[in-house]
């Protein structure tokens, strides 16, 4: 379905971004990976997912808090594959603390990586998408783009910003073949959430299993994690022609979290 298209997925060496990159490669899209840590294993996973299609995989190490790095990554992606047809703004970090104790440097980093980076990638992607009259921009927001949780001021502010930015991007492209939508996951068991499970287990002196149950029970009625594979399938739907007129939505996949 996506043969000949190229997807740039930020923060795709791990977790949700990796799940989305694999799902897009499975559909035949070339993928530019980005993120920190080991690159060989995620690259191999994405290549394996695209096996049997012509999907190729490249990687750029841009730090999403730096606009110059993001510009480099765009030039690199175009040089590798000719264009960025699908942009998935996924890179994100978390920090948990009350507002008065929130480290200023962490606030700035969360806003830069979780929100401002999507402005930079989108402004760089739109001219070529408009020239081609086709494009897909998928912003990985969160249930925290729709509702708040105590101790997560920077993250909630950034994710509400992402949902707002998604709507404006959708409006500015509404008469074109470009769509922009947000995905709002509830809990997904990635390294970002495992850290929160570990912190809970340590603070309360309980096992990892008990802490996991507690974490889900506080917010997610289904008592189940959403998986990167399920989120990948939703991203593939947004890229399909069936979603040509799905514009500016914030689609939660959250086990009922925001239905409460
Ligand atoms: P993760 O920690 O598994 O992956 C984060 C990815 O972002 C990694 O590849 C990491 O290397 C990359 N990254 C971090 N800082 C970066 C930077 N400065 N520049 C470039 N890459 C950077 O986390 P995840 O849970 O897969 O999170 C992915 C996205 O999904 C985030 O935007 C997060 O807010 C969102 N999200 C996660 C959950 C969840 O429950 N895990 C729920 C809702 C939304």
């Amino acid at each position: 379905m996506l043969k000949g298209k190229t997807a740039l997925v930020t923060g795709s060496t791990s977790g949700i971004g990796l799940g989305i990159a694999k799902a897009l490669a499975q559909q035949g899209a070339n993928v530019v990976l980005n993120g920190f840590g080991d690159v060989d294993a995620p690259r191999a996973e994405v290549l394996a997912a695209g096996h049997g299609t012509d999907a190729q995989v490249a990687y750029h190490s841009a730090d999403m808090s730096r606009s110059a790095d993001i510009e480099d990554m765009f030039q690199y992606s175009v040089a590798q594959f000719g264009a960025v047809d699908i942009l998935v703004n996924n890179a994100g970090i978390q920090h948990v603390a009350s507002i008065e104790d929130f480290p200023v440097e962490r606030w700035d980093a969360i806003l830069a990586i979780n929100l401002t980076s999507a402005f930079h990638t989108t402004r760089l992607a739109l001219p070529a998408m408009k020239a081609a009259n086709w494009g897909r921009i998928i912003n990985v927001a969160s249930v925290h783009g729709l509702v708040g949780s105590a101790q997560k001021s920077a993250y909630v502010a950034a994710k509400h910003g992402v949902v707002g930015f998604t709507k404006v991007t959708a409006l500015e492209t509404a008469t074109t073949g470009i769509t922009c939508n947000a995905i709002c996951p509830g809990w997904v068991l990635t390294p970002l959430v495992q850290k929160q499970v570990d912190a809970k287990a340590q603070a309360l002196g309980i096992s990892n299993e008990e802490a996991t149950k507690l974490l889900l029970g506080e917010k997610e009625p289904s008592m189940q994690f959403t998986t990167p594979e399920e989120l990948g399938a939703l991203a593939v739907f947004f890229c399909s022609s069936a979603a040509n007129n799905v514009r500016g939505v914030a689609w939660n996949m959250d086990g009922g979290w925001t239905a409460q």
Side-chain angles (χ1 to χ4, degrees), residues 116-175:
T116 306
S117 70
F119 160 67
H120 290 302
T121 53
T122 303
R123 75 178 169 78
L124 293 166
L126 281 177
M129 287 182 177
K130 282 186 177 167
N133 197 33
W134 197 90
R136 293 291 187 262
I137 301 175
I138 299 169
N139 294 328
V140 179
S142 164
V143 283
H144 286 120
L146 304 168
V147 297
S149 287
Q151 310 285 314
K152 295 185 176 174
S153 54
Y155 189 86
V156 170
K159 295 297 187 181
H160 274 67
V162 169
V163 170
F165 184 63
T166 301
K167 292 175 184 172
V168 175
T169 307
L171 291 174
E172 291 189 9
T173 53
T175 58

Side-chain angles (χ1 to χ4, degrees), residues 94 96 152 187 192-201 215:
Q94 174 65 285
V96 180
K152 295 185 176 174
W187 292 124
L192 182 142
V193 164
Q194 188 60 51
K195 275 187 213 151
Q196 295 174 61
V197 173
D198 295 345
K200 203 177 265 299
L215 184 107

Side-chain angles (χ1 to χ4, degrees), residues 11 13-14 16 36 63-64 90 113 141 155 159 185-186 188 190-191 193:
T13 50
S14 164
I16 295 169
F36 300 148
D63 179 336
M64 297 304 290
N90 166 79
I113 295 163
Y155 189 86
K159 295 297 187 181
V188 186
T190 65
V193 164

Side-chain angles (χ1 to χ4, degrees), residues 14-242:
S14 164
I16 295 169
L18 178 56
I20 292 177
K22 284 160 70 174
L24 296 177
Q26 211 164 24
Q27 297 298 319
N30 299 320
V31 175
V32 180
L33 295 171
N34 158 257
F36 300 148
D38 173 37
V39 179
D40 291 343
R43 187 200 292 269
E45 281 190 48
V46 178
L47 268 174
H51 185 71
T53 73
D54 294 334
Q56 294 175 52
V57 182
Y59 166 78
H60 193 282
S61 63
D63 179 336
M64 297 304 290
S65 66
R66 298 164 58 95
S67 60
D69 281 21
I70 297 173
E71 286 176 17
D72 270 2
M73 181 171 64
F74 251 85
Q75 280 169 11
Y76 168 80
S77 304
V78 172
Q80 287 289 309
F81 297 125
V84 172
D85 308 288
I86 299 164
L87 168 64
V88 182
N89 289 311
N90 166 79
I93 58 168
Q94 174 65 285
H95 186 84
V96 180
S98 57
I99 294 168
E100 64 271 33
D101 296 329
F102 214 92
V104 171
E105 163 276 319
R106 286 287 83 196
W107 172 279
D108 289 343
I110 290 177
L111 268 287
I113 295 163
N114 296 22
L115 174 59
T116 306
S117 70
F119 160 67
H120 290 302
T121 53
T122 303
R123 75 178 169 78
L124 293 166
L126 281 177
M129 287 182 177
K130 282 186 177 167
N133 197 33
W134 197 90
R136 293 291 187 262
I137 301 175
I138 299 169
N139 294 328
V140 179
S142 164
V143 283
H144 286 120
L146 304 168
V147 297
S149 287
Q151 310 285 314
K152 295 185 176 174
S153 54
Y155 189 86
V156 170
K159 295 297 187 181
H160 274 67
V162 169
V163 170
F165 184 63
T166 301
K167 292 175 184 172
V168 175
T169 307
L171 291 174
E172 291 189 9
T173 53
T175 58
T176 74
I178 305 162
T179 70
C180 178
N181 294 290
I183 294 179
C184 297
W187 292 124
V188 186
L189 193 54
T190 65
L192 182 142
V193 164
Q194 188 60 51
K195 275 187 213 151
Q196 295 174 61
V197 173
D198 295 345
K200 203 177 265 299
Q202 201 182 0
L204 301 176
I206 55 178
S207 70
N208 200 283
E209 199 184 331
E210 286 168 319
T212 302
K213 270 198 191 136
L214 214 64
L215 184 107
L216 284 168
E218 281 167 4
K219 300 283 186 183
E220 193 142 331
S222 68
M223 292 299 286
Q224 277 175 25
F225 289 105
T226 299
T227 64
E229 290 72 25
E230 289 162 348
L231 295 161
L234 181 55
V236 168
F237 167 69
F238 281 140
C239 291
S240 72
S241 56

